[in-house]
Amino acid sequence: MAGMFSLGLSTGAARKPNRFYLAYGSNLSLERMKSRCPDAVVLGTAVIPGYRLLFKKSPKTGSYATIEQDANCCVPALVYKISELDEALLDRCEGYPRYYYKRNFRLSVTRLDSGRRMKERKWCMAYVMHEVRILGETGHGVFPALG
């Protein structure tokens, strides 16, 4: 993880998971998240109301998952608790801020360990692709992560 040291976030509070991240695409894969975010802990599930899942096309590298507003839909998501370092690493992986921006949602989270909803809604961050991208198709290997 040589890259983590260049971020200036290698020790202390930067490594303590203290924020919530919503995964709805390829980051649903626990293996993928472990390789991207060393401090991430799977916490539970949530539903993003008023949004739909879609795939937008990149002319050179395929299609990528994103969400967009749609009052008649909702998007199920996996909630991870991540550290400041994890978020910085995700920023790089997701192409923030060039390709994706961050959107915060205040959501009810259902814990995976107990199946119970947490008492208070949590502010959770998701990456949303800039709207100027055109629609595309999912690549091979995305839907197994969703299954």
Side-chain angles (χ1 to χ4, degrees):
M1 285 227 157
M4 112 173 115
F5 297 107
S6 66
L7 295 172
L9 301 171
S10 60
T11 61
R15 297 295 306 267
K16 183 177 191 237
N18 61 358
R19 54 196 71 191
F20 301 96
Y21 163 63
L22 293 166
Y24 56 79
S26 65
N27 287 337
L28 290 171
S29 164
L30 301 179
E31 290 177 17
R32 176 173 228 151
M33 274 298 286
K34 186 172 177 67
S35 71
R36 289 180 167 190
C37 300
D39 303 322
V41 177
V42 179
L43 182 66
T45 61
V47 174
I48 307 168
Y51 278 77
R52 68 182 173 133
L53 177 67
L54 59 125
F55 296 88
K56 292 201 175 177
K57 188 172 183 141
S58 168
K60 295 182 182 178
T61 58
S63 296
Y64 298 90
T66 189
I67 56 175
E68 80 173 11
Q69 287 186 312
D70 184 331
N72 298 314
C73 295
C74 62
V75 177
L78 195 57
V79 180
Y80 289 92
K81 200 164 186 184
I82 62 171
S83 66
E84 184 180 357
L85 170 64
D86 289 333
E87 186 170 346
L89 292 169
L90 276 174
D91 286 350
R92 285 185 172 185
C93 290
E94 300 296 338
Y96 168 83
R98 185 174 184 186
Y99 299 111
Y100 285 84
Y101 61 92
K102 296 177 187 179
R103 172 77 202 267
N104 290 303
F105 299 90
R106 192 163 184 233
L107 301 173
S108 296
V109 176
T110 301
R111 295 185 62 96
L112 287 179
D113 59 1
S114 68
R116 294 193 171 155
R117 184 172 286 163
M118 296 178 80
K119 289 182 182 179
E120 295 182 16
R121 293 187 304 158
K122 303 295 180 191
W123 282 104
C124 304
M125 180 273 293
Y127 291 94
V128 180
M129 189 176 287
H130 293 290
E131 287 77 9
V132 297
R133 310 288 284 187
I134 61 172
L135 291 177
E137 297 176 0
T138 178
H140 301 296
V142 171
F143 284 115
L146 299 175

